[in-house]
Amino acid sequence: MINLDALDLDALNSATKYPPIATYHEIDRGILHDNVMPFSNDVVLTEKVDGTNARVIVLPDGDYVIGSREDLLHARGDRVLNPVQSIVPALRSLAEHLTAPTAGIRVYFFEVYGDKITKASKQYTGSRAVGFRLFDVAVVDAAVLELPRPAISSWRENGGQQFLAEDDLALMAKENGIELTPRLGRVPADQLPTDLAGMQDFLASRLPGTLVALDDGAGGRPEGIVLRTMDRSVIAKARVEDYARTMQRLAAR
């Protein structure tokens, strides 16, 4: 059995961080270019929520750690690692009841949003409400924690974490009574726009306003869309702001 108190927390932190997601169109210094991420078969479209990335790491005995994108913050039983974060109160009650794995380490990834969490918070709430949505679940072999720290980082950045496929992710969310980031539908990969203007129009038509507003005072402007294959082997993001900036730059030439 894996014992949290016996684990190297720095190794656990590194092995369970969320890897970066590439943009659908290649980006350089904030400007998008024509090259696109190659997709095949059906592509799942989900709303990209502008909040703070959070994770709940769950062990087979039900012990857990709550973390931000970069740091571990809190462990079960009021074992506080870093109390200076608003995501702990948002997720602590939920973390107590998340389904534990039968073996290895399971990582639930959430977007915590609203209140004053990001500059875009007013798009989701007018009353400082806080919400969260599950967007991914990964499985990590505990043996990875025995690797040297640079090797763990390389393993993570090169796809070492095993993410649940779309249908399994939906089942996991249902089992735990958690809402996923909104699903906007599925499209065949060959129907995705490959030109910049086409993707800008695609974003506007598929997601004209956020679907995760927390109250009637929300501004409602969405951040963008995440595109992912059904098996989650390919994933990319398309942000409204990136396309607006790029198209403005092109128009000024």
Side-chain angles (χ1 to χ4, degrees), residues 57-73:
I57 306 159
V58 184
L59 305 183
D61 63 358
D63 209 353
Y64 69 80
V65 179
I66 298 173
S68 64
R69 177 184 291 275
E70 294 297 331
D71 302 303
L72 301 182
L73 306 175

Side-chain angles (χ1 to χ4, degrees), residues 112-130:
V112 179
Y113 66 100
D115 194 3
K116 294 184 178 180
I117 291 172
T118 69
K119 291 186 294 184
S121 294
K122 63 184 179 181
Q123 303 305 325
Y124 303 108
T125 179
S127 62
R128 299 192 61 179
V130 175

Side-chain angles (χ1 to χ4, degrees), residues 94-113:
L94 173 69
E96 295 283 345
H97 305 288
L98 288 174
T99 303
T102 55
I105 298 166
R106 182 177 296 158
V107 191
Y108 295 82
F109 292 100
F110 296 90
E111 203 70 40
V112 179
Y113 66 100

